[in-house]
Amino acid sequence: MSEMEKTRFRSSEEYVASEQLMSAVNIAVALQKPLLIKGEPGTGKTMLAQAVSRALNRPLIIWNIKSTTKAQDGLYVYDVVQRLYDSQFGGADVSDIKKYVKLGKLGEAFSAGQDVILLIDEIDKADIEFPNDLLWELDRMEFYIPETGETVKAARRPVVIITSNAEKELPDAFLRRCVFHYIEFPTPELMEEIVRVHFPDLEQNVLNASIKAFYAIRNLPTIQKKPATSELVDWIRALTIGGISPERIEREIPFAGVLLKKNEDLDTLERSKRNRR
């Protein structure tokens, strides 16, 4: 197998990807640019990084972003409080500042010494300035630690995958540095492939009825929180455990609370069922 073949991402039995998504991943790897993935929750954005890690046989480092996350957190943290404590009460030698510097997830990826996948998950949860604060580090693949006078530089450039739920707009300067792909919600045909990954022995008539009912619910005009792939998988598992027939699936939509998580949406479904009778 050639080096090019080793670095190509393909759809697999564990992760079903569209041709467009596979192309976006491979282009980002070839261009050595971050891959920005957007899409509604449940379209497999986070799982994509896991699939790329398996396909390219590279370790995966995950940086989960929260509303309080700062760009500095991903580089390193200098525990000055612990050093002060040790100097006063610990009786330890505190002259070696390196002992009190801990690398963040970006720092871990840069210093790994091997090819890795870095997932920056849900970047839009952080402050609007967060992406801009990472521009230099993602461009240069290095950062400076003034406390130790050291520069952490990536000997092997990591594959960077960044996910966003499109909850807020990202800065233009950041977007220009990324390869962008929007994961469309799967078509019924692609969804059937995805479900088959989880339920290879599922009866076809049960699968057909479940997917038909699932998309009918998603297409109800007043649904506030549309069910996603993970809800469908859980729902089918509940249906099989309950031994529900295909006829009942479409007629009754049993265990609807697995699919819908808002009272208003459950009420909408009940009204829809009454209108069909």
Side-chain angles (χ1 to χ4, degrees):
M1 183 182 293
S2 67
E3 287 301 315
M4 182 175 294
E5 289 296 307
K6 290 179 183 178
T7 57
R8 286 190 65 82
F9 170 65
R10 295 181 178 84
S11 186
S12 67
E13 292 183 358
E14 293 83 17
Y15 188 89
V16 179
S18 66
E19 289 290 339
Q20 295 84 353
L21 178 55
M22 287 187 283
S23 295
V25 172
N26 292 321
I27 289 170
V29 173
L31 296 180
Q32 296 188 327
K33 287 182 173 291
L35 174 63
L36 175 61
I37 297 291
K38 284 189 178 183
E40 66 176 88
T43 49
K45 298 185 298 298
T46 301
M47 290 178 62
L48 170 65
Q50 299 168 350
V52 173
S53 172
R54 288 193 297 267
L56 303 187
N57 194 27
R58 301 182 185 184
L60 174 62
I61 297 174
I62 301 176
W63 185 10
N64 291 306
I65 306 302
K66 302 177 182 179
S67 60
T68 56
T69 302
K70 304 298 181 184
Q72 177 67 35
D73 300 336
L75 306 181
Y76 74 97
V77 175
Y78 171 41
D79 195 346
V80 65
V81 174
Q82 184 63 51
R83 187 181 182 217
L84 179 61
Y85 180 87
D86 288 348
S87 68
Q88 294 179 339
F89 308 108
D93 180 9
V94 297
S95 60
D96 186 5
I97 297 179
K98 289 183 182 179
K99 294 192 303 183
Y100 302 97
V101 172
K102 181 180 179 181
L103 293 178
K105 296 299 182 180
L106 205 61
E108 288 181 23
F110 287 2
S111 60
Q114 62 177 318
D115 294 318
V116 301
I117 310 295
L118 171 64
L119 170 63
I120 304 177
D121 202 22
E122 298 189 324
I123 193 171
D124 51 334
K125 280 188 175 181
D127 184 85
I128 188 63
E129 290 303 319
F130 177 86
N132 281 339
D133 291 342
L134 289 177
L135 289 180
W136 171 270
E137 288 77 15
L138 290 178
D139 270 348
R140 302 287 182 171
M141 287 290 158
E142 66 178 51
F143 61 90
Y144 180 67
I145 304 178
E147 288 83 358
T148 63
E150 293 180 317
T151 296
V152 178
K153 184 177 179 63
R156 309 280 293 184
R157 192 178 186 95
V159 173
V160 180
I161 298 175
I162 303 167
T163 69
S164 168
N165 287 328
E167 293 179 357
K168 65 179 69 167
E169 288 298 321
L170 299 174
D172 289 345
F174 180 80
L175 294 175
R176 284 196 296 271
R177 289 163 168 81
C178 299
V179 173
F180 173 75
H181 182 77
Y182 185 88
I183 299 182
E184 299 285 351
F185 197 82
T187 63
E189 293 75 20
L190 183 58
M191 185 62 80
E192 181 172 338
E193 292 184 48
I194 294 171
V195 171
R196 280 293 179 200
V197 170
H198 299 274
F199 304 98
D201 300 322
L202 185 66
E203 294 181 11
Q204 187 64 43
N205 56 356
V206 173
L207 176 60
N208 292 343
S210 302
I211 289 181
K212 183 178 179 181
F214 172 76
Y215 279 93
I217 291 172
R218 279 185 57 86
N219 290 330
L220 290 173
T222 56
I223 289 292
Q224 297 180 23
K225 186 182 184 305
K226 295 182 179 182
T229 306
S230 59
E231 280 87 17
L232 174 60
V233 171
D234 288 342
W235 188 48
I236 291 176
R237 184 170 289 113
L239 294 173
T240 54
I241 292 173
I244 307 300
S245 68
E247 296 74 24
R248 285 188 60 197
I249 291 174
E250 290 191 63
R251 183 177 67 250
E252 300 176 16
I253 317 291
F255 314 129
V258 179
L259 289 172
L260 301 173
K261 307 302 170 67
K262 288 179 173 286
N263 288 336
E264 298 86 347
D265 291 342
L266 288 169
D267 292 341
T268 296
L269 177 60
E270 286 302 315
R271 287 194 299 271
S272 173
K273 287 160 60 176
R274 287 197 298 269
N275 293 336
R276 292 203 311 265
R277 292 169 185 161

